[in-house]
Amino acid sequence: LTFTKMSLSVGDQVKIYDGTTTLDNVLGTYIAAEVPSPVTSNWKSVLVRFFSDSAYRGDGFSLTYTGVSVTRCDANTVATTETGTLTDGSGAYYYDNSMSCAWTITPPSGGLVTLTFTDFALRGGDYVT
């Protein structure tokens, strides 16, 4: 999200949540007339809320957003090359809820397979077997 205009009156604010509800983490609360730095979410949705009190009016705010297309893993992927990279597809973003992915690795040489993890981050209740 990139703010292109920010001119709020005292008591007014724009609040951005990293998700779809006000229970999600707050990415930022903006109450000034100065254009804030760009905001990046780690989730597939953001909630932008504008609050205005009854005292004064301002010129308001404007922002642009850019969505990033992310290809997630398939239910069952077969890897048949000698070397490769496996990923859940989330990249710099959080992986989705209720994902279930499987990879069958069968290199053409028929030899043993060695796995090297270069990045590994799970949240409570998630696992890899």
Side-chain angles (χ1 to χ4, degrees):
L1 304 169
T2 303
F3 285 90
T4 55
K5 174 178 137 183
M6 179 63 80
S7 182
L8 303 181
S9 294
V10 173
D12 301 342
Q13 66 177 309
V14 174
K15 190 175 272 195
I16 301 174
Y17 297 88
D18 200 13
T20 58
T21 73
T22 56
L23 299 176
D24 292 310
N25 291 330
V26 176
L27 292 173
T29 301
Y30 307 98
I31 57 174
E34 194 171 307
V35 175
S37 299
V39 177
T40 302
S41 171
N42 289 315
W43 194 240
K44 60 186 176 181
S45 299
V46 296
L47 173 64
V48 179
R49 296 200 59 193
F50 172 63
F51 301 95
S52 144
D53 66 12
S54 61
Y56 300 102
R57 292 184 290 183
D59 289 334
F61 77 96
S62 179
L63 62 82
T64 61
Y65 66 90
T66 303
V68 177
S69 177
V70 178
T71 302
R72 305 294 187 190
C73 61
D74 291 328
N76 190 7
T77 302
V78 178
T80 58
T81 57
E82 198 63 39
T83 63
T85 301
L86 305 179
T87 177
D88 62 57
S90 60
Y93 305 95
Y94 295 138
Y95 53 82
D96 288 338
N97 291 332
S98 302
M99 289 180 70
S100 178
C101 304
W103 295 267
T104 302
I105 305 168
T106 310
S109 66
L112 297 176
V113 175
T114 300
L115 299 177
T116 304
F117 291 91
T118 56
D119 189 22
F120 200 83
L122 298 178
R123 299 196 137 202
D126 297 335
Y127 59 92
V128 174
T129 59

